[in-house]
Amino acid sequence: MSQGRETAIDIALGRIAALRWGEPGMPRVLALHGWLDNAASFVPLAPHLPGIDLVAIDLPGHGHSAHLPPGADYSFALAMHNVLDVADALGWERFALLGHSMGAGIASLLAAACPQRIARLLAIEALGALPESVENTVPRLRDAVAATRALGGKRLRTFADLEPAIRARVNGNVIQVGEDAARLLVERGVRKVETGGWEWSSDPRLTLPTMVRMTEEQVRALIAGIECPTRVIYADPPQPYLPEPRRSEHAALLPRGEMIVLSGSHHLHMEHPAEVAAAIGDFFHAAP
């Protein structure tokens, strides 16, 4: 399995770490990982996608990348600009996006917002944004503000060695992942502690609730506004937060889109990379 070439990209926020496969001159693909994951999310899949210049970044606050400054808030809006800053630093005016979960959500917003820059979108296990009911707007806002004010100097959990961290990642409270995939994510998602052991390298602010979400109507409008060719790959069974028929209804709104369902879990691109690569096929090589 090719681990990719370590690289660093400097943007206004700071240094963004990345893994890169392929060579300049090939179709350009920028890969965005899921929440609390990192660029290692694409290590199993990348060797199955030859002939593209694939750059998988650690999004800000994740992996080896810079954290936001004190007082800043992690949001999709800011993430979009961070991704565009990375593309600018790479010298990529027009490129394709490959996103998983949260990364697919960010990629969806970018594709809708910047049709002149995004040539193609391959979204895995997410499309658009997670909608919120109007009735839950104020409770969500109150919970998020309270959690933010209470965060203080909170530090993420530390571990004497990597094995407990891997077990913790396998048995995540929200989304579980297989041991091999968890090991890849953990090895890139921790840092050594001076007093001994390891701690998560991710920014604790990433665990805060989102203050405001789009309504279902806004999400549908966003998806309908994605003009580029789009392929969505979902796992079967679906995640509870994006059940059927909603996810199929969302995919049907794409002007130039298609949806493929494969057996697997939320991290199917890590646990079944050959099958996912087969579903991707020549998508990144086809003309816009």
Side-chain angles (χ1 to χ4, degrees), residues 40-115:
S41 177
F42 298 99
V43 167
L45 180 63
H48 297 276
L49 300 176
I52 62 173
D53 185 3
L54 177 62
V55 177
I57 65 172
D58 291 335
L59 287 162
H62 296 78
H64 302 326
S65 286
H67 293 190
L68 296 186
D73 178 41
Y74 287 93
S75 68
F76 269 31
L78 182 57
M80 289 169 59
H81 286 290
N82 293 153
V83 173
L84 289 172
D85 286 345
V86 167
D88 290 345
L90 290 169
W92 290 6
E93 178 59 29
R94 191 162 171 79
F95 54 96
L97 287 168
L98 166 60
H100 170 249
S101 194
M102 179 189 75
I106 296 169
S108 298
L109 267 69
L110 267 175
C114 304

Side-chain angles (χ1 to χ4, degrees), residues 3-280:
Q3 300 291 319
R5 305 187 302 277
E6 282 285 353
T7 187
I9 304 158
D10 290 317
I11 64 173
L13 168 68
R15 180 149 291 189
I16 300 298
L19 296 173
R20 192 168 191 170
W21 294 264
E23 301 296 337
M26 297 176 174
R28 300 165 172 175
V29 182
L30 192 57
L32 310 177
H33 61 77
W35 178 62
L36 294 182
D37 289 349
N38 50 61
S41 177
F42 298 99
V43 167
L45 180 63
H48 297 276
L49 300 176
I52 62 173
D53 185 3
L54 177 62
V55 177
I57 65 172
D58 291 335
L59 287 162
H62 296 78
H64 302 326
S65 286
H67 293 190
L68 296 186
D73 178 41
Y74 287 93
S75 68
F76 269 31
L78 182 57
M80 289 169 59
H81 286 290
N82 293 153
V83 173
L84 289 172
D85 286 345
V86 167
D88 290 345
L90 290 169
W92 290 6
E93 178 59 29
R94 191 162 171 79
F95 54 96
L97 287 168
L98 166 60
H100 170 249
S101 194
M102 179 189 75
I106 296 169
S108 298
L109 267 69
L110 267 175
C114 304
Q116 74 281 10
R117 300 204 62 177
I118 309 305
R120 290 182 162 266
L121 169 62
L122 194 295
I124 301 173
E125 279 286 272
L127 179 65
L130 290 178
E132 182 65 275
S133 65
V134 174
E135 295 76 17
N136 202 42
T137 301
V138 173
R140 167 173 288 281
L141 184 63
R142 291 175 177 173
D143 290 345
V145 170
T148 301
R149 304 302 296 175
L151 186 64
K154 175 186 175 183
R155 295 178 65 87
L156 295 176
R157 183 178 173 186
T158 59
F159 303 89
D161 58 69
L162 288 184
E163 295 308 314
I166 293 167
R167 290 197 297 272
R169 190 67 178 83
V170 168
N171 299 311
N173 292 331
V174 180
I175 298 174
Q176 296 184 339
V177 62
E179 184 172 347
D180 290 342
R183 185 175 298 276
L184 283 172
L185 296 172
V186 168
E187 288 175 348
R188 192 173 179 86
V190 295
R191 61 190 172 200
K192 287 186 177 181
V193 180
E194 290 185 3
T195 56
W198 304 82
E199 67 178 2
W200 300 119
S201 62
S202 52
D203 193 327
R205 287 174 290 178
L206 291 167
T207 63
L208 294 171
T210 302
M211 289 194 178
V212 178
R213 284 183 176 174
M214 294 183 181
T215 64
E216 174 67 17
E217 291 76 11
Q218 288 175 309
V219 171
R220 288 174 176 263
L222 166 71
I223 295 169
I226 298 174
E227 299 176 1
C228 66
T230 301
R231 184 170 295 172
V232 188
I233 299 176
Y234 279 122
D236 182 41
Q239 292 296 318
Y241 56 80
L242 191 57
E244 288 291 0
R246 177 182 287 174
R247 68 179 189 180
S248 293
E249 293 171 352
H250 283 184
L253 296 169
L254 291 164
R256 303 173 66 187
E258 59 182 324
M259 173 177 153
I260 298 173
V261 178
L262 301 175
S263 296
S265 64
H266 184 63
H267 285 79
L268 75 167
H269 66 304
M270 298 189 75
E271 296 172 344
H272 305 288
E275 291 85 346
V276 171
I280 294 172

